[in-house]
Amino acid sequence: MTDITIATHDGNFHADDVFSVAALKSILPPFTLIRTRDLEKIAKADIVIDVGGEYDADAGRFDHHQRGGAGARDNGIPYSSFGLIWKKYGVEICDGNEDLAKSVDRRLVSHIDALDCGHVEGVYDGISLSHAIGMFNPTWQEDSHFDECFDEAVEYAGLLLKRFIAAANGGISAKAIVAKAIEDAEDPRVIVLEKYTPWKRTVHEHSKAALYVVYPSQTGQWRIQTVPVEPGSFEDRKPLPQAWAGLSDKALQEVTGIDDVTLHGGLTLI
């Protein structure tokens, strides 16, 4: 039985309180969660999220609804409770990796904070994670209990947060690998990777000379990709010869002069 009690508000829940609880579940031992607006119960809780009218990280208070809010990032996006939780525990949740924690804040946490605080300028105007979390609330046609729905939302948010951290970590690791490959390239126009690694953004940030990226596929084939003029563009810095387009096997071998080139084995042209 745990001695830790975490309190948040009852009734309708939002992405900030749901993700806050999910985040804490990833680092704290099993705790007692109470959803209430009873001030006496809130005062006795070890950690209070999105209720109570107080922000004091050292005291375990993470609300942002008080007059004046709870501060904002340098880019102007105010903190909601999730942002406040992440500000204190994010590095720990990311196993001490500050760069990873900052990346998750920039790409996930700050967006949830922005929508929760009404800071919608520049925020995607479609179905967002915040909207998805909100849909766990029971509708007026359902008899579902709010606390049960909240638990379901926390489980969902926990899985998303875990995968988001993994994806962000992969991006950071990829950047270091590709940057090293650029530095070690014998010919700056051709970047060779030991295995496929997401490369486009890093190549554009670190190399104006790179034209092609070469790497082995999972089947052992070597693949070559052209570097686009910018990420997401269909225009390449230097396209492969037009005469190669649409050819395969013997026809491709004849025009390239490479005996084992193919679209399906050996060297694959992309």
Side-chain angles (χ1 to χ4, degrees):
M1 185 70 178
T2 180
D3 293 325
I4 299 175
T5 298
I6 296 178
T8 188
H9 60 80
D10 57 9
N12 279 318
F13 47 84
H14 306 96
D16 66 328
D17 43 306
V18 169
F19 268 96
S20 294
V21 174
L24 291 176
K25 287 184 72 172
S26 70
I27 57 169
L28 296 181
F31 51 78
T32 298
L33 175 68
I34 57 172
R35 301 188 68 241
T36 182
R37 293 187 185 275
D38 186 314
L39 295 180
E40 291 186 5
K41 293 180 179 179
I42 290 172
K44 294 178 181 178
D46 297 290
I47 298 175
V48 179
I49 299 167
D50 210 37
V51 72
E54 181 182 5
Y55 170 48
D56 184 343
D58 292 336
R61 269 50 189 163
F62 301 92
D63 197 12
H64 65 108
H65 294 101
Q66 58 272 21
R67 185 184 296 273
R73 297 167 175 80
D74 292 340
N75 62 6
I77 296 179
Y79 288 102
S80 77
S81 293
F82 186 29
L84 298 177
I85 288 289
W86 196 260
K87 189 175 181 180
K88 181 173 177 64
Y89 297 102
V91 174
E92 181 180 353
I93 292 170
C94 293
D95 295 324
N97 190 327
E98 292 187 16
D99 289 337
L100 179 55
K102 289 178 181 178
S103 176
V104 174
D105 180 77
R106 182 176 64 255
R107 299 174 57 206
L108 173 67
V109 184
S110 65
H111 285 260
I112 289 175
D113 283 6
L115 288 171
D116 191 81
C117 296
H119 187 94
V120 297
E121 182 178 353
V123 177
Y124 174 65
D125 189 26
I127 296 297
S128 65
L129 280 178
S130 295
H131 294 124
I133 292 294
M135 286 189 286
F136 277 87
N137 283 288
T139 71
W140 66 273
Q141 295 172 305
E142 298 173 317
D143 294 328
S144 301
H145 196 280
F146 275 103
D147 288 352
E148 294 174 356
C149 293
F150 183 87
D151 291 340
E152 292 178 357
V154 166
E155 183 177 359
Y156 172 75
L159 292 172
L160 285 175
L161 182 59
K162 181 179 179 181
R163 295 311 307 157
F164 202 98
I165 290 173
N169 188 47
I172 291 173
S173 299
K175 184 174 183 178
I177 292 171
V178 176
K180 185 66 165 57
I182 293 171
E183 181 181 344
D184 295 343
E186 293 184 11
D187 185 332
R189 298 171 298 178
V190 181
I191 309 303
V192 180
L193 302 173
E194 295 183 1
K195 66 176 183 178
Y196 174 73
T197 309
W199 56 265
K200 291 183 179 179
R201 189 168 299 280
T202 304
V203 166
H204 277 275
E205 289 178 356
H206 293 272
S207 176
K208 295 181 179 180
L211 302 177
Y212 307 107
V213 175
V214 181
Y215 59 89
S217 69
Q218 293 179 339
T219 60
Q221 303 166 344
W222 281 90
R223 296 174 177 265
I224 180 171
Q225 284 187 283
T226 51
V227 177
V229 293
E230 61 184 26
S233 172
F234 291 99
E235 180 183 355
D236 299 318
R237 287 180 174 177
K238 186 175 180 59
L240 293 171
Q242 184 64 32
W244 297 2
L247 301 181
S248 62
D249 302 326
K250 289 184 178 180
L252 185 59
Q253 292 166 13
E254 289 178 0
V255 74
T256 62
I258 302 174
D259 293 338
D260 61 350
V261 68
T262 174
L263 291 181
H264 302 288
L267 176 65
T268 299
L269 303 175
I270 300 178

PDB file of all heavy atoms in Angstrom, residues 179-204:
ATOM      1  N   ALA A 179      25.120  13.025 -38.357  1.00  0.00           N
ATOM      2  CA  ALA A 179      26.129  14.093 -38.294  1.00  0.00           C
ATOM      3  C   ALA A 179      27.539  13.506 -38.347  1.00  0.00           C
ATOM      4  O   ALA A 179      28.434  14.061 -39.002  1.00  0.00           O
ATOM      5  CB  ALA A 179      25.934  14.911 -37.022  1.00  0.00           C
ATOM      6  N   LYS A 180      27.729  12.379 -37.661  1.00  0.00           N
ATOM      7  CA  LYS A 180      29.043  11.714 -37.684  1.00  0.00           C
ATOM      8  C   LYS A 180      29.344  11.172 -39.080  1.00  0.00           C
ATOM      9  O   LYS A 180      30.491  11.257 -39.569  1.00  0.00           O
ATOM     10  CB  LYS A 180      29.053  10.568 -36.670  1.00  0.00           C
ATOM     11  CG  LYS A 180      30.403   9.874 -36.506  1.00  0.00           C
ATOM     12  CD  LYS A 180      31.428  10.811 -35.900  1.00  0.00           C
ATOM     13  CE  LYS A 180      32.668  10.071 -35.394  1.00  0.00           C
ATOM     14  NZ  LYS A 180      33.360   9.269 -36.411  1.00  0.00           N
ATOM     15  N   ALA A 181      28.335  10.625 -39.771  1.00  0.00           N
ATOM     16  CA  ALA A 181      28.526  10.106 -41.127  1.00  0.00           C
ATOM     17  C   ALA A 181      28.892  11.227 -42.096  1.00  0.00           C
ATOM     18  O   ALA A 181      29.722  11.043 -42.995  1.00  0.00           O
ATOM     19  CB  ALA A 181      27.263   9.392 -41.592  1.00  0.00           C
ATOM     20  N   ILE A 182      28.289  12.387 -41.905  1.00  0.00           N
ATOM     21  CA  ILE A 182      28.627  13.549 -42.744  1.00  0.00           C
ATOM     22  C   ILE A 182      30.084  13.950 -42.506  1.00  0.00           C
ATOM     23  O   ILE A 182      30.843  14.215 -43.441  1.00  0.00           O
ATOM     24  CB  ILE A 182      27.686  14.728 -42.432  1.00  0.00           C
ATOM     25  CG1 ILE A 182      26.249  14.389 -42.879  1.00  0.00           C
ATOM     26  CG2 ILE A 182      28.170  16.008 -43.099  1.00  0.00           C
ATOM     27  CD1 ILE A 182      25.222  15.403 -42.420  1.00  0.00           C
ATOM     28  N   GLU A 183      30.479  13.972 -41.242  1.00  0.00           N
ATOM     29  CA  GLU A 183      31.850  14.349 -40.887  1.00  0.00           C
ATOM     30  C   GLU A 183      32.873  13.364 -41.456  1.00  0.00           C
ATOM     31  O   GLU A 183      33.963  13.751 -41.888  1.00  0.00           O
ATOM     32  CB  GLU A 183      31.980  14.414 -39.358  1.00  0.00           C
ATOM     33  CG  GLU A 183      33.339  14.817 -38.844  1.00  0.00           C
ATOM     34  CD  GLU A 183      33.405  14.832 -37.330  1.00  0.00           C
ATOM     35  OE1 GLU A 183      32.338  14.829 -36.692  1.00  0.00           O
ATOM     36  OE2 GLU A 183      34.529  14.842 -36.796  1.00  0.00           O
ATOM     37  N   ASP A 184      32.506  12.060 -41.471  1.00  0.00           N
ATOM     38  CA  ASP A 184      33.444  11.016 -41.897  1.00  0.00           C
ATOM     39  C   ASP A 184      33.388  10.720 -43.397  1.00  0.00           C
ATOM     40  O   ASP A 184      34.158   9.881 -43.887  1.00  0.00           O
ATOM     41  CB  ASP A 184      33.159   9.715 -41.128  1.00  0.00           C
ATOM     42  CG  ASP A 184      33.433   9.845 -39.635  1.00  0.00           C
ATOM     43  OD1 ASP A 184      34.139  10.797 -39.251  1.00  0.00           O
ATOM     44  OD2 ASP A 184      32.945   8.993 -38.876  1.00  0.00           O
ATOM     45  N   ALA A 185      32.492  11.355 -44.125  1.00  0.00           N
ATOM     46  CA  ALA A 185      32.309  11.038 -45.543  1.00  0.00           C
ATOM     47  C   ALA A 185      33.590  11.271 -46.343  1.00  0.00           C
ATOM     48  O   ALA A 185      34.214  12.331 -46.247  1.00  0.00           O
ATOM     49  CB  ALA A 185      31.172  11.865 -46.122  1.00  0.00           C
ATOM     50  N   GLU A 186      33.989  10.273 -47.151  1.00  0.00           N
ATOM     51  CA  GLU A 186      35.155  10.431 -48.016  1.00  0.00           C
ATOM     52  C   GLU A 186      34.878  11.466 -49.101  1.00  0.00           C
ATOM     53  O   GLU A 186      35.763  12.228 -49.490  1.00  0.00           O
ATOM     54  CB  GLU A 186      35.516   9.080 -48.650  1.00  0.00           C
ATOM     55  CG  GLU A 186      36.008   8.043 -47.651  1.00  0.00           C
ATOM     56  CD  GLU A 186      36.436   6.759 -48.331  1.00  0.00           C
ATOM     57  OE1 GLU A 186      36.548   6.760 -49.581  1.00  0.00           O
ATOM     58  OE2 GLU A 186      36.669   5.771 -47.622  1.00  0.00           O
ATOM     59  N   ASP A 187      33.657  11.454 -49.602  1.00  0.00           N
ATOM     60  CA  ASP A 187      33.206  12.436 -50.582  1.00  0.00           C
ATOM     61  C   ASP A 187      31.995  13.146 -49.976  1.00  0.00           C
ATOM     62  O   ASP A 187      30.983  12.500 -49.691  1.00  0.00           O
ATOM     63  CB  ASP A 187      32.806  11.735 -51.883  1.00  0.00           C
ATOM     64  CG  ASP A 187      32.434  12.718 -52.999  1.00  0.00           C
ATOM     65  OD1 ASP A 187      31.977  13.844 -52.686  1.00  0.00           O
ATOM     66  OD2 ASP A 187      32.580  12.356 -54.173  1.00  0.00           O
ATOM     67  N   PRO A 188      32.052  14.435 -49.726  1.00  0.00           N
ATOM     68  CA  PRO A 188      30.950  15.125 -49.055  1.00  0.00           C
ATOM     69  C   PRO A 188      29.633  15.073 -49.827  1.00  0.00           C
ATOM     70  O   PRO A 188      28.581  15.363 -49.262  1.00  0.00           O
ATOM     71  CB  PRO A 188      31.468  16.564 -48.923  1.00  0.00           C
ATOM     72  CG  PRO A 188      32.503  16.702 -49.985  1.00  0.00           C
ATOM     73  CD  PRO A 188      33.155  15.359 -50.078  1.00  0.00           C
ATOM     74  N   ARG A 189      29.709  14.680 -51.084  1.00  0.00           N
ATOM     75  CA  ARG A 189      28.482  14.581 -51.882  1.00  0.00           C
ATOM     76  C   ARG A 189      27.729  13.286 -51.620  1.00  0.00           C
ATOM     77  O   ARG A 189      26.540  13.180 -51.929  1.00  0.00           O
ATOM     78  CB  ARG A 189      28.812  14.689 -53.372  1.00  0.00           C
ATOM     79  CG  ARG A 189      29.433  16.008 -53.795  1.00  0.00           C
ATOM     80  CD  ARG A 189      29.929  15.942 -55.215  1.00  0.00           C
ATOM     81  NE  ARG A 189      30.973  14.923 -55.372  1.00  0.00           N
ATOM     82  CZ  ARG A 189      31.560  14.628 -56.520  1.00  0.00           C
ATOM     83  NH1 ARG A 189      31.203  15.287 -57.628  1.00  0.00           N
ATOM     84  NH2 ARG A 189      32.497  13.707 -56.580  1.00  0.00           N
ATOM     85  N   VAL A 190      28.416  12.297 -51.050  1.00  0.00           N
ATOM     86  CA  VAL A 190      27.809  10.977 -50.816  1.00  0.00           C
ATOM     87  C   VAL A 190      27.946  10.612 -49.344  1.00  0.00           C
ATOM     88  O   VAL A 190      29.059  10.423 -48.841  1.00  0.00           O
ATOM     89  CB  VAL A 190      28.475   9.895 -51.685  1.00  0.00           C
ATOM     90  CG1 VAL A 190      27.796   8.544 -51.444  1.00  0.00           C
ATOM     91  CG2 VAL A 190      28.404  10.268 -53.166  1.00  0.00           C
ATOM     92  N   ILE A 191      26.827  10.517 -48.659  1.00  0.00           N
ATOM     93  CA  ILE A 191      26.823  10.176 -47.239  1.00  0.00           C
ATOM     94  C   ILE A 191      26.493   8.694 -47.106  1.00  0.00           C
ATOM     95  O   ILE A 191      25.435   8.241 -47.566  1.00  0.00           O
ATOM     96  CB  ILE A 191      25.791  11.011 -46.464  1.00  0.00           C
ATOM     97  CG1 ILE A 191      25.969  12.505 -46.776  1.00  0.00           C
ATOM     98  CG2 ILE A 191      25.892  10.733 -44.969  1.00  0.00           C
ATOM     99  CD1 ILE A 191      27.343  13.045 -46.493  1.00  0.00           C
ATOM    100  N   VAL A 192      27.360   7.933 -46.462  1.00  0.00           N
ATOM    101  CA  VAL A 192      27.166   6.493 -46.305  1.00  0.00           C
ATOM    102  C   VAL A 192      26.808   6.192 -44.850  1.00  0.00           C
ATOM    103  O   VAL A 192      27.545   6.562 -43.929  1.00  0.00           O
ATOM    104  CB  VAL A 192      28.430   5.713 -46.710  1.00  0.00           C
ATOM    105  CG1 VAL A 192      28.199   4.209 -46.537  1.00  0.00           C
ATOM    106  CG2 VAL A 192      28.809   6.030 -48.152  1.00  0.00           C
ATOM    107  N   LEU A 193      25.683   5.524 -44.655  1.00  0.00           N
ATOM    108  CA  LEU A 193      25.234   5.132 -43.325  1.00  0.00           C
ATOM    109  C   LEU A 193      25.422   3.629 -43.140  1.00  0.00           C
ATOM    110  O   LEU A 193      25.210   2.853 -44.078  1.00  0.00           O
ATOM    111  CB  LEU A 193      23.758   5.487 -43.133  1.00  0.00           C
ATOM    112  CG  LEU A 193      23.386   6.962 -43.311  1.00  0.00           C
ATOM    113  CD1 LEU A 193      21.875   7.137 -43.251  1.00  0.00           C
ATOM    114  CD2 LEU A 193      24.060   7.815 -42.246  1.00  0.00           C
ATOM    115  N   GLU A 194      25.788   3.218 -41.943  1.00  0.00           N
ATOM    116  CA  GLU A 194      25.990   1.796 -41.673  1.00  0.00           C
ATOM    117  C   GLU A 194      24.672   1.034 -41.667  1.00  0.00           C
ATOM    118  O   GLU A 194      24.626  -0.156 -41.935  1.00  0.00           O
ATOM    119  CB  GLU A 194      26.716   1.603 -40.347  1.00  0.00           C
ATOM    120  CG  GLU A 194      28.140   2.149 -40.350  1.00  0.00           C
ATOM    121  CD  GLU A 194      28.856   1.893 -39.056  1.00  0.00           C
ATOM    122  OE1 GLU A 194      28.243   1.266 -38.147  1.00  0.00           O
ATOM    123  OE2 GLU A 194      30.031   2.284 -38.936  1.00  0.00           O
ATOM    124  N   LYS A 195      23.579   1.713 -41.360  1.00  0.00           N
ATOM    125  CA  LYS A 195      22.240   1.145 -41.474  1.00  0.00           C
ATOM    126  C   LYS A 195      21.279   2.309 -41.658  1.00  0.00           C
ATOM    127  O   LYS A 195      21.643   3.462 -41.392  1.00  0.00           O
ATOM    128  CB  LYS A 195      21.854   0.318 -40.251  1.00  0.00           C
ATOM    129  CG  LYS A 195      21.698   1.113 -38.969  1.00  0.00           C
ATOM    130  CD  LYS A 195      21.212   0.201 -37.841  1.00  0.00           C
ATOM    131  CE  LYS A 195      20.982   0.998 -36.564  1.00  0.00           C
ATOM    132  NZ  LYS A 195      20.468   0.123 -35.468  1.00  0.00           N
ATOM    133  N   TYR A 196      20.061   1.998 -42.107  1.00  0.00           N
ATOM    134  CA  TYR A 196      19.128   3.100 -42.353  1.00  0.00           C
ATOM    135  C   TYR A 196      18.894   3.874 -41.061  1.00  0.00           C
ATOM    136  O   TYR A 196      18.613   3.298 -39.996  1.00  0.00           O
ATOM    137  CB  TYR A 196      17.783   2.611 -42.891  1.00  0.00           C
ATOM    138  CG  TYR A 196      16.816   3.771 -42.978  1.00  0.00           C
ATOM    139  CD1 TYR A 196      16.949   4.737 -43.965  1.00  0.00           C
ATOM    140  CD2 TYR A 196      15.834   3.949 -41.996  1.00  0.00           C
ATOM    141  CE1 TYR A 196      16.122   5.843 -44.008  1.00  0.00           C
ATOM    142  CE2 TYR A 196      14.987   5.044 -42.038  1.00  0.00           C
ATOM    143  CZ  TYR A 196      15.138   5.986 -43.042  1.00  0.00           C
ATOM    144  OH  TYR A 196      14.321   7.089 -43.062  1.00  0.00           O
ATOM    145  N   THR A 197      19.002   5.171 -41.168  1.00  0.00           N
ATOM    146  CA  THR A 197      18.754   6.084 -40.061  1.00  0.00           C
ATOM    147  C   THR A 197      18.048   7.311 -40.632  1.00  0.00           C
ATOM    148  O   THR A 197      18.449   7.801 -41.693  1.00  0.00           O
ATOM    149  CB  THR A 197      20.086   6.542 -39.429  1.00  0.00           C
ATOM    150  OG1 THR A 197      20.889   5.395 -39.134  1.00  0.00           O
ATOM    151  CG2 THR A 197      19.852   7.324 -38.163  1.00  0.00           C
ATOM    152  N   PRO A 198      16.988   7.796 -40.000  1.00  0.00           N
ATOM    153  CA  PRO A 198      16.343   9.023 -40.495  1.00  0.00           C
ATOM    154  C   PRO A 198      17.383  10.121 -40.666  1.00  0.00           C
ATOM    155  O   PRO A 198      18.067  10.488 -39.715  1.00  0.00           O
ATOM    156  CB  PRO A 198      15.329   9.353 -39.394  1.00  0.00           C
ATOM    157  CG  PRO A 198      15.019   8.033 -38.766  1.00  0.00           C
ATOM    158  CD  PRO A 198      16.308   7.269 -38.801  1.00  0.00           C
ATOM    159  N   TRP A 199      17.516  10.666 -41.884  1.00  0.00           N
ATOM    160  CA  TRP A 199      18.656  11.518 -42.181  1.00  0.00           C
ATOM    161  C   TRP A 199      18.329  12.888 -42.752  1.00  0.00           C
ATOM    162  O   TRP A 199      19.169  13.792 -42.712  1.00  0.00           O
ATOM    163  CB  TRP A 199      19.570  10.809 -43.181  1.00  0.00           C
ATOM    164  CG  TRP A 199      18.891  10.386 -44.471  1.00  0.00           C
ATOM    165  CD1 TRP A 199      18.354   9.179 -44.752  1.00  0.00           C
ATOM    166  CD2 TRP A 199      18.687  11.193 -45.641  1.00  0.00           C
ATOM    167  NE1 TRP A 199      17.827   9.145 -46.017  1.00  0.00           N
ATOM    168  CE2 TRP A 199      18.015  10.378 -46.594  1.00  0.00           C
ATOM    169  CE3 TRP A 199      18.997  12.507 -45.986  1.00  0.00           C
ATOM    170  CZ2 TRP A 199      17.650  10.848 -47.851  1.00  0.00           C
ATOM    171  CZ3 TRP A 199      18.629  12.981 -47.243  1.00  0.00           C
ATOM    172  CH2 TRP A 199      17.967  12.155 -48.163  1.00  0.00           C
ATOM    173  N   LYS A 200      17.149  13.090 -43.316  1.00  0.00           N
ATOM    174  CA  LYS A 200      16.904  14.276 -44.130  1.00  0.00           C
ATOM    175  C   LYS A 200      17.115  15.591 -43.378  1.00  0.00           C
ATOM    176  O   LYS A 200      17.800  16.499 -43.852  1.00  0.00           O
ATOM    177  CB  LYS A 200      15.509  14.214 -44.734  1.00  0.00           C
ATOM    178  CG  LYS A 200      15.377  13.119 -45.783  1.00  0.00           C
ATOM    179  CD  LYS A 200      14.013  13.115 -46.442  1.00  0.00           C
ATOM    180  CE  LYS A 200      13.931  12.027 -47.503  1.00  0.00           C
ATOM    181  NZ  LYS A 200      12.610  11.967 -48.151  1.00  0.00           N
ATOM    182  N   ARG A 201      16.528  15.716 -42.208  1.00  0.00           N
ATOM    183  CA  ARG A 201      16.642  16.985 -41.490  1.00  0.00           C
ATOM    184  C   ARG A 201      18.094  17.270 -41.100  1.00  0.00           C
ATOM    185  O   ARG A 201      18.569  18.411 -41.221  1.00  0.00           O
ATOM    186  CB  ARG A 201      15.742  16.969 -40.248  1.00  0.00           C
ATOM    187  CG  ARG A 201      15.618  18.323 -39.564  1.00  0.00           C
ATOM    188  CD  ARG A 201      14.506  18.312 -38.544  1.00  0.00           C
ATOM    189  NE  ARG A 201      13.221  18.035 -39.167  1.00  0.00           N
ATOM    190  CZ  ARG A 201      12.487  18.929 -39.805  1.00  0.00           C
ATOM    191  NH1 ARG A 201      12.912  20.170 -39.917  1.00  0.00           N
ATOM    192  NH2 ARG A 201      11.326  18.580 -40.327  1.00  0.00           N
ATOM    193  N   THR A 202      18.808  16.235 -40.648  1.00  0.00           N
ATOM    194  CA  THR A 202      20.197  16.435 -40.228  1.00  0.00           C
ATOM    195  C   THR A 202      21.090  16.768 -41.407  1.00  0.00           C
ATOM    196  O   THR A 202      21.974  17.645 -41.321  1.00  0.00           O
ATOM    197  CB  THR A 202      20.733  15.176 -39.520  1.00  0.00           C
ATOM    198  OG1 THR A 202      19.871  14.867 -38.413  1.00  0.00           O
ATOM    199  CG2 THR A 202      22.135  15.409 -38.990  1.00  0.00           C
ATOM    200  N   VAL A 203      20.887  16.105 -42.537  1.00  0.00           N
ATOM    201  CA  VAL A 203      21.677  16.406 -43.727  1.00  0.00           C
ATOM    202  C   VAL A 203      21.464  17.855 -44.150  1.00  0.00           C
ATOM    203  O   VAL A 203      22.410  18.569 -44.494  1.00  0.00           O
ATOM    204  CB  VAL A 203      21.333  15.438 -44.879  1.00  0.00           C
ATOM    205  CG1 VAL A 203      21.892  15.946 -46.205  1.00  0.00           C
ATOM    206  CG2 VAL A 203      21.892  14.051 -44.576  1.00  0.00           C
ATOM    207  N   HIS A 204      20.227  18.322 -44.112  1.00  0.00           N
ATOM    208  CA  HIS A 204      19.948  19.697 -44.520  1.00  0.00           C
ATOM    209  C   HIS A 204      20.529  20.706 -43.544  1.00  0.00           C
ATOM    210  O   HIS A 204      20.922  21.799 -43.939  1.00  0.00           O
ATOM    211  CB  HIS A 204      18.444  19.896 -44.679  1.00  0.00           C
ATOM    212  CG  HIS A 204      17.923  19.429 -46.007  1.00  0.00           C
ATOM    213  ND1 HIS A 204      17.945  20.204 -47.129  1.00  0.00           N
ATOM    214  CD2 HIS A 204      17.406  18.230 -46.382  1.00  0.00           C
ATOM    215  CE1 HIS A 204      17.454  19.515 -48.147  1.00  0.00           C
ATOM    216  NE2 HIS A 204      17.128  18.321 -47.728  1.00  0.00           N
TER     217      HIS A 204
END
